[in-house]
Amino acid sequence: ESVARWDGSSWVGLPGLLGTVHALPWHAGTLIAGGHFTGSFWNLYNLAQWTGEDWINYANGADGDILAMLVSGDDLYIGGSFVQVGGVIGAGGVIAPGIARWDGIEWSPVGAVQTQSPPVLEERSRKRQDRGLPDAFRMPHGDHQDGCSNRAFH
């Protein structure tokens, strides 16, 4: 398992994720995992929600790795090596290279949408104020604060 919880005497794996989890924030009262993974029985598209028993798809995920996540108010920000979030374009999917925001209903790109491959996260994070990101969003070297999670759990 990629994620475990402490039951008071030992670590117990939370089954169902196949791959690496890079971030584990709480969003809207739910544990969310972001990384490079799929599910045991279905594709989770690198973003999943823990139900208490299993991991399920969350907001139709992203088409590439999620390396960092931040909860700011009701919004969930994700950063990584993806180009598209939320599924197929035209059916809820959105082009959002490298950084995206989930407001609980729909995805939106952060900053100007670019058509080339995602830029280096470090470069984007230096420009976070210009792109509308909360000041607390820090990537990719493990700095975090104010609800940001980008530590790898293997």
Side-chain angles (χ1 to χ4, degrees):
E1 283 95 14
S2 297
V3 180
R5 68 175 173 84
W6 181 254
D7 70 3
S9 60
S10 64
W11 287 100
V12 178
L14 304 182
L17 293 180
L18 304 174
T20 301
V21 174
H22 293 290
L24 282 170
W26 284 94
H27 180 245
T30 304
L31 182 63
I32 307 296
H36 176 81
F37 56 78
T38 188
S40 297
F41 301 105
W42 50 85
N43 197 334
L44 298 174
Y45 304 103
N46 305 309
L47 189 63
Q49 170 185 342
W50 178 246
T51 67
E53 296 178 19
D54 200 2
W55 293 99
I56 60 172
N57 182 293
Y58 189 73
N60 291 319
D63 68 353
D65 294 359
I66 296 171
L67 302 174
M69 300 167 75
L70 165 73
V71 174
S72 180
D74 294 332
D75 296 335
L76 173 67
Y77 291 85
I78 63 172
S81 59
F82 53 84
V83 174
Q84 183 175 315
V85 294
V88 177
I89 300 298
V94 174
I95 294 176
I99 302 177
R101 179 179 65 89
W102 172 251
D103 65 7
I105 297 170
E106 64 185 359
W107 286 104
S108 59
V110 176
V113 175
Q114 302 172 12
T115 57
Q116 75 261 22
S117 61
V120 176
L121 289 176
E122 189 171 40
E123 178 184 339
R124 287 269 326 270
S125 68
R126 274 183 272 168
K127 297 178 182 177
R128 67 187 175 279
Q129 286 92 3
D130 297 335
R131 301 204 182 267
L133 276 175
D135 288 337
F137 203 48
R138 307 273 193 259
M139 309 185 299
H141 301 293
D143 298 330
H144 64 57
Q145 58 183 326
D146 299 337
C148 185
S149 171
N150 63 341
R151 299 275 187 197
F153 294 85
H154 300 279

